[in-house]
Amino acid sequence: QVKLQQSGPGLVKPSQTLSVTCVISGDDISSTTSAWNWIRQSPSRGLEWLGRTYYRSTWYNEYAVSVRSRIDIDTETSKNQFSLHLNSVTPEDTALYYCSRQQLYDDAWRPFDYWGQGTLVTVSS
Amino acid sequence: DIQMTQSPSSLSASVGDRVTITCRASQGIRNDLGWYQQTPGKAPKRLIYGASSLQSGVPSRFSGSGSGTEFTLTISSLQPEDFATYYCLQHNTFPYTFGQGTNLEIK
């Protein structure tokens, strides 16, 4: 059974960097059939996909254009975890942040199956 | 970006009713569509993938259909635990995009 456990600060000041970590159990972050995603949810923007990382002999990242200049997703394979870093945050980045897994099956990606519990991040001074 | 237009945005129904939720994509996405159920305080739960494949463990009263730009989620006979918010997700083209949600309420 795959489990994704999130952690991160609940409050971030404007202009600072928001960081949330997702620890994976039951799967290997370096699996060539998995991708690791970040999604956020807010009343104003609904559910919004932010980006993903996956391993295919090397690490690949894909990011939403809306946050591309501010986002980084990195991995720590020794801890089987990945992290979202979003810099220069504003109150508009206040949201519930989720990590999620995507699986490759028969050469086609399936939609997100396992999700973390969510981390509410508020951007406020 | 591909826009996913979901309708209706809210729906009142009774236990035992048959309900249908629709998602329309602004361009063709083959069958790269999933349906999710979300209850308050919980992460979304995948019900359907590949537009019509039922997730293991999900009751057979849930079904999905469609391809290209028009998709539907049908619940054949509503149960009390089905009152929740439902979302579609396209994962054909980056950025992946979700519908705005359908809030299914008890009548």
Side-chain angles (χ1 to χ4, degrees):
Chain A
Q1 176 77 352
V2 175
K3 186 172 180 184
L4 305 178
Q5 183 67 39
Q6 298 179 220
S7 62
L11 182 64
V12 179
K13 288 183 166 48
S15 80
Q16 293 190 343
T17 297
L18 173 164
S19 294
V20 185
T21 294
C22 185
V23 178
I24 304 159
S25 55
D27 196 0
D28 184 347
I29 194 169
S30 301
S31 166
T32 55
T33 57
S34 296
W36 306 98
N37 292 256
W38 287 100
I39 297 143
R40 67 182 177 183
Q41 185 173 28
S42 66
S44 58
R45 303 169 77 104
L47 284 160
E48 181 184 13
W49 176 81
L50 300 176
R52 72 175 187 175
T53 189
Y54 60 97
Y55 184 77
R56 297 285 180 282
S57 304
T58 188
W59 286 97
Y60 292 90
N61 288 338
E62 279 143 349
Y63 299 132
V65 171
S66 60
V67 294
R68 185 168 291 161
S69 63
R70 301 192 292 129
I71 191 174
D72 180 47
I73 297 175
D74 63 23
T75 60
E76 195 162 351
T77 55
S78 62
K79 295 183 178 179
N80 213 33
Q81 67 183 39
F82 63 111
S83 298
L84 166 71
H85 306 284
L86 189 65
N87 62 43
S88 305
V89 296
T90 72
E92 293 279 302
D93 295 308
T94 294
L96 186 57
Y97 286 78
Y98 290 105
C99 59
S100 186
R101 187 186 79 163
Q102 206 184 354
Q103 272 218 303
L104 189 67
Y105 190 83
D106 281 350
D107 260 350
W109 288 108
R110 287 188 173 174
F112 317 121
D113 52 5
Y114 291 97
W115 296 62
Q117 80 275 21
T119 300
L120 180 61
V121 180
T122 301
V123 179
S124 174
S125 53
Chain B
D1 297 4
I2 295 178
Q3 307 302 316
M4 302 301 292
T5 303
Q6 195 173 330
S7 61
S9 56
S10 64
L11 178 57
S12 291
S14 301
V15 172
D17 283 355
R18 178 185 180 90
V19 300
T20 297
I21 299 168
T22 297
C23 235
R24 180 176 293 114
S26 59
Q27 61 191 72
I29 59 170
R30 303 183 307 179
N31 67 339
D32 296 329
L33 183 113
W35 287 98
Y36 292 83
Q37 177 193 66
Q38 188 176 33
T39 53
K42 299 280 191 180
K45 171 188 171 184
R46 191 174 76 179
L47 303 174
I48 300 285
Y49 62 90
S52 59
S53 295
L54 188 67
Q55 173 69 28
S56 175
V58 172
S60 59
R61 62 181 180 272
F62 291 91
S63 63
S65 65
S67 184
T69 60
E70 295 275 339
F71 302 88
T72 60
L73 173 71
T74 299
I75 310 172
S76 60
S77 178
L78 276 172
Q79 299 302 301
E81 61 268 28
D82 300 338
F83 292 95
T85 303
Y86 293 85
Y87 296 95
C88 60
L89 160 73
Q90 71 80 18
H91 58 97
N92 176 268
T93 301
F94 291 116
Y96 295 158
T97 46
F98 292 84
Q100 75 274 27
T102 295
N103 185 23
L104 180 53
E105 300 174 322
I106 301 174
K107 186 183 286 184

